[in-house]
Amino acid sequence: MPGDLAGGELADTLRRIERSAGALATASVSRMDETLPWFRELPADQRAWVMLVAQTGVRSLVEWLRQGGAALGSPTEVSDEVFAAAPLALARSISLQQTVALIKVMIDVVEEQVPHLAASGEERLLREAVLKFSREIAFAAARVYARAAESRTAWDARLQALLVDALLRGDSADVLASRAAALGWGDAQPVAVAVGRSPGGEVAAVLHTIYRAARRIGVEIIGGVHGDRLVVVLGGAADPMAAATKMLAGFGGGPVVVGPAVPRLEEATDSARAALAGFRAAPAWPAAPRPVAAVELLPERALAGDGEARRTLRQDVYAPLVRAGGELMETLDAFFAAGGVLESAARALFVHPNTVRYRLRRVGDVTGFSPLSARDTFTLRVALTIGRLDPAPPVVSPAG
């Protein structure tokens, strides 16, 4: 076709562009340095990668023209190989918007050189071809970034699953720190683990819902679906229970249990263990709030065989009662035997009802659980039972 840039009579124009590839790339990078402040702050290796991309882009322009890409209605696309000169990591350092800005600078430089690059009489056609090429190379950049995003998403999902697995297995702090670093996890404090039922469906869709909710409330999360369970690590939530409440829509039906907050991700194994134990035991408390703290499920967890819950009830509830003296324990036993009727307990103890009231308040002060609350009464009864069946070992004084 006469005037077609792919025509043989334009071989001289193509040769000129090809010979100028290095100079055009150098001029483009120099212009980027002048006009794009963020480009000046890039590390030297990344600036070198951009130079390679620019050189490859000019050569791609020549190849695209040879294949008739500038012809009206041509289906010829710019190959994504333009961006293969730089490692995929560059797509993580430079955003798509920044890449488009780089492409614009390069195209501007090439356009300015059209009078020197085009053979006589072909300036207009070359200028139009460069404009069309700029559109095609922008589409190629978008494809590269889309693939990078998909790859990164898949890789991140795998890393997150591995990290959640490590938490559930109780792996060492070094393993957790290493996997967290690979994910780019910030030092978000405190950290707590929430466990609930997965709503089902594609894992990516489940996690997307959770991440969207996390972004709205400004917390960091790591999520994973394990069987029918959704495990979410919350970071930077001053009140993990409040944060979990705002993320309930991402969980399926049933209980959602939040483990205790810990200072760092490396210590989150304890939170994960408590949350999982609570999730397994939660069906025993149908009226439990949603979400519920794992510590609120101590009696159910203990009855389900959770050794940590048994230890906590023995050391933090039973042992303080023992240290407080026999009156409190005796009063509790009488109160329970009287079915929670204060006056009946007072008669059995041969004391005034006010004395019983005082002692029961002391029980609440000592243990954190009030005998006048039905829920706390259950916790106290389980703690007394565990303490009497499995008393704490005696403290051995060091030899003097």
Side-chain angles (χ1 to χ4, degrees):
M1 177 186 296
D4 189 336
L5 284 176
E9 68 273 17
L10 296 177
D12 186 47
T13 295
L14 298 180
R15 281 196 297 271
R16 290 185 188 185
I17 299 173
E18 198 163 21
R19 284 197 301 268
S20 303
L24 289 171
T26 300
S28 298
V29 173
S30 178
R31 182 75 61 82
M32 295 169 191
D33 194 67
E34 294 172 4
T35 60
L36 303 174
W38 58 265
F39 180 77
R40 292 193 294 270
E41 298 174 2
L42 289 178
D45 59 339
Q46 294 185 13
R47 290 163 62 91
W49 293 337
V50 172
M51 170 66 85
L52 286 175
V53 171
Q55 291 174 338
T56 306
V58 176
R59 288 195 295 270
S60 178
L61 170 61
V62 175
E63 185 61 28
W64 181 75
L65 291 172
R66 283 198 177 119
Q67 294 178 2
L72 186 63
S74 170
T76 304
E77 291 183 347
V78 174
S79 171
D80 298 353
E81 293 301 314
V82 172
F83 299 96
L88 189 59
L90 187 62
R92 299 173 188 165
S93 303
I94 300 176
S95 69
L96 177 57
Q97 184 177 0
Q98 290 172 329
T99 299
V100 171
L102 296 179
I103 292 171
K104 183 179 183 301
V105 169
M106 188 183 78
I107 294 300
D108 287 345
V109 170
V110 173
E111 278 191 291
E112 290 173 4
Q113 296 300 315
V114 164
H116 307 291
L117 297 172
S120 178
E122 301 296 340
E123 292 87 349
R124 182 181 62 80
L125 289 173
L126 179 56
R127 196 180 304 278
E128 292 174 356
V130 169
L131 290 175
K132 184 177 179 183
F133 177 78
S134 69
R135 183 191 68 181
E136 295 299 328
I137 200 170
F139 284 147
R143 289 193 296 270
V144 169
Y145 272 82
R147 282 199 298 271
E150 290 172 357
S151 175
R152 179 65 179 175
T153 298
W155 177 241
D156 280 357
R158 177 60 178 158
L159 283 177
Q160 289 184 67
L162 290 173
L163 178 55
V164 172
D165 279 339
L167 278 174
L168 300 185
R169 287 196 308 269
D171 284 358
S172 69
D174 289 342
V175 171
L176 296 176
S178 173
R179 290 183 174 164
L183 277 169
W185 173 269
D187 189 21
Q189 301 177 358
V191 177
V193 178
V195 179
R197 198 168 302 282
S198 169
E202 289 291 330
V203 171
V206 172
L207 296 181
H208 175 72
T209 301
I210 284 289
Y211 279 109
R212 188 171 56 190
R215 283 195 298 269
R216 282 199 298 266
I217 61 176
V219 299
E220 287 194 47
I221 67 165
I222 296 172
V225 176
H226 292 254
D228 65 344
R229 297 171 304 184
L230 173 58
V231 181
V232 178
V233 183
L234 295 162
D239 185 349
M241 288 294 294
T245 299
K246 295 176 181 177
M247 300 174 67
L248 286 177
F251 290 88
V256 174
V257 182
V258 182
V262 295
R264 298 177 302 154
L265 180 65
E266 291 84 347
E267 302 171 42
T269 296
D270 292 338
S271 184
R273 186 182 297 115
L276 278 172
F279 181 73
R280 287 192 291 266
W285 185 13
R290 189 172 186 266
V292 59
V295 69
E296 298 294 330
L297 288 158
L298 280 173
E300 287 83 5
R301 288 165 52 192
L303 293 174
D306 179 12
E308 180 62 22
R310 291 176 65 91
R311 185 197 65 78
T312 299
L313 290 172
R314 185 178 64 244
Q315 293 187 1
D316 297 349
V317 180
Y318 177 76
L321 283 174
V322 173
R323 290 194 297 268
E327 282 185 348
L328 296 189
M329 193 82 75
E330 181 185 31
T331 300
L332 262 185
D333 286 336
F335 185 66
F336 292 155
V341 178
L342 190 143
E343 290 76 9
S344 298
R347 285 195 296 271
L349 294 168
F350 301 103
V351 297
H352 194 277
N354 285 342
T355 301
V356 176
R357 287 192 184 91
Y358 169 77
R359 291 177 183 176
L360 293 181
R361 282 198 300 270
R362 284 277 298 133
V363 169
D365 294 339
V366 168
T367 66
F369 295 94
S370 170
L372 301 178
S373 160
R375 176 68 193 172
D376 286 1
T377 293
F378 176 55
T379 302
L380 288 166
R381 298 193 73 156
V382 173
L384 290 183
T385 302
I386 289 173
R388 286 163 172 162
L389 290 175
D390 186 19
V395 177
V396 180
S397 301

